[in-house]
Amino acid sequence: MSYIDRLFHSVSIENVKLALFRIAYLRKNTLFEKVDPRILLLWYFVFAILPWFFHSRTTLLLLAGFVVLCAAIAKVSRLILFLMTVSMAAHLFYLGIMTIFMGGQIDAFWSLFAYTLKLLTLALVSVAVFSSMDPERFSDTMLALGFPAAFSFGVGYGYRMLPILVQEYNNIIYSYRMRGRAPASKGFLYSKHILYFAKIAMKAFYPMMLNTAKRTRTTVEALECKGFTYSGKHPEAKRLRLAYLKLKPTDGLFLGGSFGIAAVLIYIGERFPV
């Protein structure tokens, strides 16, 4: 199998579907999964906003390295990390080309590079946190923070539906491929195969949305039969649902340790700026 074939296989719909299922359903038993989700969201917002207050590339590199370590601890899917790496490399290549066309000034490249580091930190923090929280915990956390019950459930439901949508989309594409005929030749740089799969992808979109609408209506009717609207507004039902959310001493250690490490990294980065 050639390198291009292996690359296409690694980013296939099947692998994307499996990665989404692992995020939505798999309990990884990691440090992040054991932290109270409210503390985890607070940690996320702090580290998502923190890089935007600094311009030193040393500080940004240290913060990005710390977040990479956090993503490794959270056991983020290798497929997601691979896609982020490819995106980062493509973006840096684009910055290099733009710098050349802007007169070759290296200062312009370094300014854009600092901005890229901030985006990378934000992306890594997002995948580390949201891949460590299953949809139910995320939905309950939003409810505990005061969001409406319908909105909180909608976010969790969309979280759960995403891998199911990919599964549905995958099945529809397979049905089109079984009834259709692939090009006999691959063409230059797989151009014929890419065009063939692009046509199938567009044709499969409408049946997927129709099936999703039917499934959503069935879910809504089932929830109303079980008294979802009443339970979402009743204080006692809400208290029972959120009873498992309890702050522990380890949550404070996690938050304090993370903020302490970030403070040390910021001090080093501002002391030795690049």
Side-chain angles (χ1 to χ4, degrees):
M1 184 182 293
S2 66
Y3 175 76
I4 296 179
D5 290 333
R6 291 197 301 269
L7 181 61
F8 273 105
H9 177 72
S10 63
V11 295
S12 64
I13 295 178
E14 186 68 23
N15 283 344
V16 172
K17 178 188 67 177
L18 291 175
L20 290 172
F21 271 111
R22 292 189 190 101
I23 292 173
Y25 296 104
L26 183 63
R27 303 299 292 270
K28 301 178 182 180
N29 195 28
T30 63
L31 174 63
F32 278 42
E33 197 271 335
K34 296 177 182 178
V35 176
D36 186 277
R38 293 168 294 182
I39 297 297
L40 208 55
L41 281 182
L42 175 61
W43 184 90
Y44 164 73
F45 282 116
V46 170
F47 279 92
I49 297 174
L50 192 62
W52 301 96
F53 290 98
F54 301 97
H55 303 285
S56 169
R57 288 184 291 274
T58 306
T59 302
L60 296 176
L61 280 170
L62 290 174
L63 288 175
F66 175 66
V67 173
V68 168
L69 178 62
C70 292
I73 294 174
K75 297 182 181 180
V76 176
S77 168
R78 288 181 293 178
L79 175 62
I80 294 177
L81 293 178
F82 169 75
L83 294 176
M84 290 181 63
T85 303
V86 171
S87 176
M88 181 70 176
H91 187 66
L92 289 177
F93 177 76
Y94 163 76
L95 291 182
I97 297 297
M98 289 298 296
T99 302
I100 293 174
F101 280 104
M102 292 171 62
Q105 296 182 357
I106 193 63
D107 292 338
F109 175 81
W110 284 122
S111 299
L112 294 172
F113 179 70
Y115 176 72
T116 303
L117 285 176
K118 295 178 182 181
L119 291 179
L120 176 64
T121 304
L122 174 61
L124 286 171
V125 167
S126 301
V127 297
V129 170
F130 293 108
S131 65
S132 302
M133 281 196 294
D134 59 65
E136 283 77 12
R137 294 182 74 205
F138 185 43
S139 177
D140 291 344
T141 302
M142 297 186 69
L143 185 63
L145 294 176
F147 287 88
F151 179 78
S152 302
F153 172 78
V155 173
Y157 180 71
Y159 209 159
R160 283 291 196 195
M161 282 294 294
L162 186 58
I164 298 175
L165 289 179
V166 175
Q167 175 70 44
E168 185 78 24
Y169 193 62
N170 196 16
N171 292 338
I172 295 172
I173 286 180
Y174 281 154
S175 67
Y176 273 114
R177 292 181 65 185
M178 290 178 64
R179 294 196 301 265
R181 180 182 179 186
S185 61
K186 298 179 180 178
F188 179 70
L189 293 178
Y190 289 75
S191 58
K192 291 185 178 180
H193 276 203
I194 293 174
L195 181 61
Y196 171 70
F197 282 109
K199 290 180 179 179
I200 291 179
M202 288 187 289
K203 290 181 179 179
F205 183 76
Y206 178 75
M208 181 195 69
M209 296 304 297
L210 181 61
N211 293 341
T212 303
K214 293 179 180 179
R215 186 179 287 111
T216 303
R217 181 177 179 180
T218 302
T219 303
V220 170
E221 292 174 350
L223 287 172
E224 289 304 322
C225 289
K226 295 180 179 180
F228 169 77
T229 304
Y230 174 80
S231 63
K233 297 180 180 179
H234 196 276
E236 184 64 20
K238 183 177 178 180
R239 185 186 65 82
L240 291 174
R241 179 179 177 181
L242 303 178
Y244 73 96
L245 293 177
K246 295 180 180 178
L247 295 177
K248 304 180 292 295
T250 53
D251 297 331
L253 290 175
F254 168 79
L255 202 61
S258 298
F259 290 168
I261 293 173
V264 172
L265 295 179
I266 291 172
Y267 174 78
I268 296 173
E270 295 300 308
R271 184 73 182 272
F272 305 101
V274 175

